Amino acid sequence: MPAFTAYYTSRTPSLSQSVGVDTSKVMVVRNGIKNNNDLVWIGRAPNIAAKLSAIRDPGYTSYISEAVFNVILDRVKSAHSRLLLEK
């Protein structure tokens, strides 16, 4: 444990996260063998959302697709005359 403590006490942790959101019809499939399977999400939304979440531009942590932007009500896109969402 001393090596672990020495390694991490001399470094400042750096975390980053990003969220991608898209909308479309999605299908979920259980894939694998008996007692060893997982869910696989198939469709445009999981694919585009994953790609959007991979973007790491400084200053932004949430990304939505144009499809999501277009279904959000205009009154939700801004608050107090300030645009909350950019196209």
Side-chain angles (χ1 to χ4, degrees):
M1 197 60 132
F4 177 86
T5 305
Y7 181 84
Y8 285 102
T9 54
S10 64
R11 289 169 174 72
T12 303
S14 174
L15 300 175
S16 66
Q17 64 87 33
S18 184
V19 176
V21 180
D22 190 27
T23 182
S24 74
K25 289 187 178 183
V26 176
M27 187 166 117
V28 62
V29 177
R30 186 175 299 278
N31 188 18
I33 59 174
K34 188 176 182 180
N35 297 327
N36 188 13
N37 54 51
D38 205 352
L39 299 177
V40 177
W41 300 87
I42 301 170
R44 180 179 166 267
N47 184 27
I48 298 297
K51 290 178 181 180
L52 291 171
S53 68
I55 300 171
R56 296 290 192 259
D57 288 340
Y60 297 97
T61 58
S62 299
Y63 298 91
I64 61 173
S65 67
E66 187 173 357
V68 173
F69 184 87
N70 290 337
V71 297
I72 295 176
L73 299 174
D74 286 337
R75 62 187 166 94
V76 176
K77 293 177 186 173
S78 62
H80 308 291
S81 301
R82 182 175 158 235
L83 187 63
L84 299 176
L85 301 172
E86 298 176 11
K87 194 166 186 179

